[in-house]
Amino acid sequence: MTDSNTRAALQRGISNRRNVLGDAWVERSIGNANTLNVEFQRMITCYAWDGIWSRPGLEPRTRRIMVLAITAAMGRWEEFELHIRTGLQAPADDPAAAALDLDTIKEVLLQTAVYAGVPAGNTGMAIVLKVLSSLDRTPPKADFWAGGTGE
């Protein structure tokens, strides 16, 4: 049984999770609750998705960008992939959904490669390309020798 404060935090957290990760992901998480993981699910919903994602200091998109950089730096690729996929699928006109575009993802990975190491950037790029392919959004070919930096 949860008290009214905890229930309110759960409701706010679920709302944020739905906005950022989508209804299907949240329904699957809630639907897979069992006696082993239900307290963990409640904890991350209240602590992360309400306590952090509800804070006014940063916009949801900035928070998602930070999640990408941190999870890439730490090698938490399942969480990185989740936020790439849901960020690419989020409606661009809904700020609460924290949508991502390819230019932003590219910049996050370039910065991550400098501060967390080229292998992190490289793995992140491979995951992004895999997700894009699964969404039938493969980027067009580019001429390696045309344009770019260092010319």
Side-chain angles (χ1 to χ4, degrees), residues 88-131:
L88 287 168
Q89 293 176 316
D93 61 346
D94 180 1
L100 295 172
D101 57 78
L102 294 184
D103 286 336
T104 299
I105 293 169
K106 173 178 61 179
E107 293 302 323
V108 168
L109 290 174
L110 287 168
Q111 183 115 356
T112 299
V114 169
Y115 287 94
V118 171
N122 192 41
T123 300
M125 189 63 72
I127 290 169
V128 171
L129 290 169
K130 179 183 85 169
V131 169

Side-chain angles (χ1 to χ4, degrees), residues 10-122:
L10 285 168
Q11 290 296 333
R12 288 187 304 268
I14 287 293
S15 177
N16 287 336
R17 278 178 92 175
R18 286 185 189 284
N19 285 335
V20 174
L21 302 179
D23 290 333
W25 180 266
V26 174
E27 288 305 318
R28 197 166 38 256
S29 294
I30 292 171
N32 288 332
N34 57 52
T35 56
L36 175 65
N37 68 12
V38 71
E39 290 178 42
F40 179 80
Q41 286 293 321
R42 289 180 188 141
M43 184 267 300
I44 62 172
T45 300
C46 288
Y47 182 66
W49 289 104
D50 178 39
I52 299 301
W53 283 80
S54 291
R55 293 179 55 81
L58 297 171
E59 297 299 316
R61 187 168 184 276
T62 302
R63 291 189 189 283
R64 189 191 298 270
I65 289 167
M66 290 177 64
V67 167
L68 292 177
I70 292 166
T71 55
M74 295 181 68
R76 302 294 196 247
W77 299 116
E78 65 289 338
E79 193 79 9
F80 177 87
E81 183 173 346
L82 169 64
H83 279 273
I84 287 291
R85 181 175 303 282
T86 56
L88 287 168
Q89 293 176 316
D93 61 346
D94 180 1
L100 295 172
D101 57 78
L102 294 184
D103 286 336
T104 299
I105 293 169
K106 173 178 61 179
E107 293 302 323
V108 168
L109 290 174
L110 287 168
Q111 183 115 356
T112 299
V114 169
Y115 287 94
V118 171
N122 192 41

